Amino acid sequence: MSVRVRFAPSPTGYLHIGGARTALYSYLYARATGGKFILRIEDTDQERSKREYEESQIADLKWVGLDYDEGPDKDGGFGPYRQSERLDIYKKYAWDLIEQGKAYPCFLTQEELDELTAKAEAEKIPHHAYHGKYRDYSLDEAKKRIEAGEEHAIRFKNPGKKWSFTDLVRGEVTFPEDMVGDFVIIRSSGLPVYNFCCVIDDHLMKISHVIRAEEHLNNTVRQLMVYEAIGASVPEFAHCSLLVGEDRQKLSKRHGATSVSQYKEEFYLPQALINYLCLLGWSHPEEKDIFNINELGETFDLNRFSKSPAMYDIKKLNFFNEQHLRALPVEEQVSWFEKVIPTDSSYFKQTQEWRNTFATLFVDKIQLVAEITEKLPLIFDSSVSEDEDYKEALSWETTPAIAKYLEGELNALSTQSPAPEKVEEWMDYLKKELKIKGKPLFMGTRAVLTGQNHGPDLKVLVSLTPKEILLERCKKALS
Ligand code: GLU
């Protein structure tokens, strides 16, 4: 049987990182097995579903590189891929079940349901205990009432037995017999419920594996009943462990950005985000942490999921971002940086070679692309550090001599900035002629030229800095 895996988001919000993670596992499994990755839009909640969310979720999936083989805009012969366009199919299945005595129309009104719930509560029995009032009602009578226009839901006739299945993550799972009652499959509004249409679609779309979040585990019991009732074979299930924040509570907005689009807006590298998500509940067989998900190939299998909750830690994500950023070719680093550097910055007056050197100099000093903007003042702003260490370096008796000498050299300089070799020559002079060595030489020169007491490679940094800025800093050191 060929592998067909689906990601089935509800377009009721932006793509959540947990959703991106299950989409990723589905995608990787399809790629590992030569199967198909399918996108199905579960938009039967008409009030909360919005086309703009569908579009943004698709854009975010593509941004992280999870392109699907079949979906609303890519027909693979199993469409339509939006549940709102499949309502007739669900209705037909529901009525087939009614005709077979496996489901029934239910005329309980909301008030009656509320009363029955209150009664069940008073008797300390499950809420669903009294939901089956119409389970043995005459179908002919029911049809007459429906024809007369009476509002009705359709309930599934729970056969009342124990259900179990083997989950690829959790192993053997057994559900207690009375966990659910006769549950609604089509609401009185005519719209089907998730647990029903999900099964019909997974069956008709020939889905072989369902990889989804652990919070859907309890839904599986209803779904197993529907599979059996429609005579369909049950796919393999993998319920991936919960994503939790550092406080071990289910991941939510208060833990920080939880939607993929927020990371996109903050200029995270998509390859870093997806690499990090991949390891939240799955481990690489060679214990690798930094990798390109598209290089996993057959290495990705479903036996390496962890049962315990996966902790989402933004600090780790930032580390992954840093590693991926460093690994990029310099031209790509430059183009990432140019997305965040203000357009009126003097940066944009510099040559390509200058920009490449700038990127190479600072890429090791940051984790996130956006942090590069903090480095611009080191080059284009003459203001100096407030640090005690900087002030101390200026107070050394050798520092004024360094500043005086460099000021003269800079004034005599014919280029826009000194070349690194020039800086080296100056340092040699200071060492040989003025006999300044060690910390007073290195820290002193750095303080004078950069206005800071620490920073990246001095020669390169100075070679990127305009002469006027260097001169202003010399003056500050001398004042
Ligand atoms: N529409 C469901 C959700 O977004 C899908 C659950 C499933 O994968 O079965 O959570």
Side-chain angles (χ1 to χ4, degrees), residues 6-12 19 22 26 40-43 57 83 194-195 198-199 202 210-213 215-216 219 223 237 239:
R6 90 308 192 266
F7 175 53
S10 302
T12 52
T22 44
S26 305
R40 183 173 74 227
I41 303 295
E42 302 208 325
D43 57 350
Q57 293 205 17
Q83 289 189 328
Y194 155 69
N195 279 312
C198 168
V199 171
D202 283 343
V210 171
I211 303 172
R212 62 185 174 199
E215 60 213 28
H216 288 293
N219 285 324
Q223 298 180 12
F237 287 106
H239 286 91

Side-chain angles (χ1 to χ4, degrees), residues 63-96:
W63 180 69
V64 287
L66 305 183
D67 216 348
Y68 43 87
D69 304 303
E70 295 174 27
D73 53 349
K74 255 191 206 171
D75 190 16
F78 291 86
Y81 293 88
R82 243 180 234 115
Q83 289 189 328
S84 58
E85 293 163 18
R86 300 172 64 81
L87 299 180
D88 288 347
I89 300 175
Y90 311 127
K91 196 168 169 197
K92 182 189 167 301
Y93 268 89
W95 273 96
D96 283 352

Side-chain angles (χ1 to χ4, degrees), residues 333-353:
Q333 292 169 347
V334 167
S335 70
W336 271 102
F337 293 156
E338 292 186 358
K339 291 181 205 288
V340 298
I341 294 177
T343 48
D344 60 355
S345 165
S346 302
Y347 171 96
F348 287 104
K349 298 197 186 103
Q350 312 303 319
T351 62
Q352 194 57 51
E353 196 193 337

